[in-house]
């Protein structure tokens, strides 16, 4: 088992939380894990990115080579496109379709969606709306985690256990909201894959 994941987004969206939860689930499954993060701009609305490598065999580098990612997971559609050079030929893109417009020259969202639509292996939907309808507007990162989990060889139970551990200090209601958002994202992803 080996899965190389690029997690991308904008500071404050919770991408590093997704990386932490996946890492905890992988360790719970006695898998090897390497992670590298870029988050210096996270407090300023800049891009945030993490290389997350999970394997049943030892991993020698924490960086994913160009063309080596199995999965690009993003809470922002243009950030997903930024990392396309890292995507392997059979890799998948899992992304929110709602833009986080943090630059003056952000392209038209129709153009971004059209470019994403040029790829065969894409799961893209409005994760913000799913989060708001299911749990809380602040849980779109858990919707993203659920959507991505369909492509990661980790048990749902271990991921949910890691979600619980991460949020339990905030109380049972917050834990249940985040679990509900995770499940809703996974369901949306599975529905798109079956099409």
């Amino acid at each position: 088992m080996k899965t190389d994941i690029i997690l991308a987004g904008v500071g404050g969206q919770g991408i590093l939380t997704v990386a932490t939860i996946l890492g905890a689930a992988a360790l719970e499954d006695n898998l090897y894990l390497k992670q590298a993060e870029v988050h210096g701009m996270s407090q300023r609305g800049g891009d945030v990115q993490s290389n997350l490598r999970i394997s049943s065999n030892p991993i020698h580098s924490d960086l994913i080579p160009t063309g080596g990612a199995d999965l690009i997971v993003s809470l922002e559609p243009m950030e997903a496109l930024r990392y396309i050079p890292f995507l392997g030929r059979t890799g998948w893109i899992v992304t929110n379709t709602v833009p986080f417009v943090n630059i003056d020259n952000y392209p038209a969202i129709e153009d971004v969606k059209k470019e994403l639509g040029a790829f065969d292996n894409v799961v893209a939907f409005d994760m913000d709306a799913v989060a708001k309808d299911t749990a809380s507007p602040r849980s779109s990162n858990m919707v993203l985690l659920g959507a991505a989990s369909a492509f990661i060889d980790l048990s749902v139970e271990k991921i949910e256990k890691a979600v619980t551990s991460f949020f339990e200090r905030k109380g049972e209601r917050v834990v249940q909201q985040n679990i509900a958002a995770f499940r809703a994202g996974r369901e949306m992803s599975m529905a798109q894959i079956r099409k």
Side-chain angles (χ1 to χ4, degrees), residues 17-163:
T17 299
V18 171
T20 299
I21 290 169
L22 284 173
L27 292 175
E28 176 75 18
D29 217 7
N30 293 315
L31 296 169
Y32 292 93
L33 170 72
K34 292 266 187 180
Q35 182 178 358
E37 298 174 352
V38 176
H39 54 88
M41 294 295 291
S42 63
Q43 297 300 317
R44 297 176 188 86
D47 67 312
V48 177
Q49 180 261 353
S50 179
N51 283 232
L52 184 62
R53 307 186 82 185
I54 302 169
S55 178
S56 52
N57 297 311
I59 303 165
H60 302 290
S61 172
D62 54 356
L63 297 177
I64 299 169
T66 302
D70 300 299
L71 198 54
I72 293 175
V73 177
S74 181
L75 259 173
E76 208 291 324
M78 193 175 76
E79 290 299 322
L81 290 173
R82 180 193 304 262
Y83 295 100
I84 291 297
F86 289 91
L87 189 64
R89 286 194 331 257
T90 60
W92 280 81
I93 301 165
V94 179
T95 187
N96 191 0
T97 56
V98 178
F100 187 102
V101 181
N102 58 346
I103 55 174
D104 292 337
N105 60 343
Y106 194 100
I109 190 59
E110 296 78 23
D111 294 340
V112 173
K113 288 179 181 178
K114 183 178 178 182
E115 196 165 337
L116 281 168
F119 296 92
D120 293 330
N121 298 341
V122 177
V123 169
F125 59 92
D126 183 341
M127 296 180 185
D128 293 0
V130 172
K132 186 177 178 184
D133 292 346
T134 306
S136 155
R138 295 176 47 106
S139 59
S140 56
N141 63 332
M142 291 300 102
V143 174
L144 177 69
L145 174 61
S149 72
F151 304 97
I152 303 169
D153 195 15
L154 293 171
S155 75
V156 170
E157 294 77 21
K158 289 205 171 114
I159 297 173
E160 288 188 1
K161 182 179 177 184
V163 170

Side-chain angles (χ1 to χ4, degrees), residues 169-190:
R169 62 182 160 63
K170 294 185 177 187
E172 184 61 22
R173 185 177 65 81
V174 173
V175 168
Q176 291 310 314
Q177 284 178 333
N178 283 283
I179 294 289
F182 169 81
R183 290 176 179 170
R186 184 172 173 88
E187 186 177 310
M188 290 287 291
S189 186
M190 298 299 279

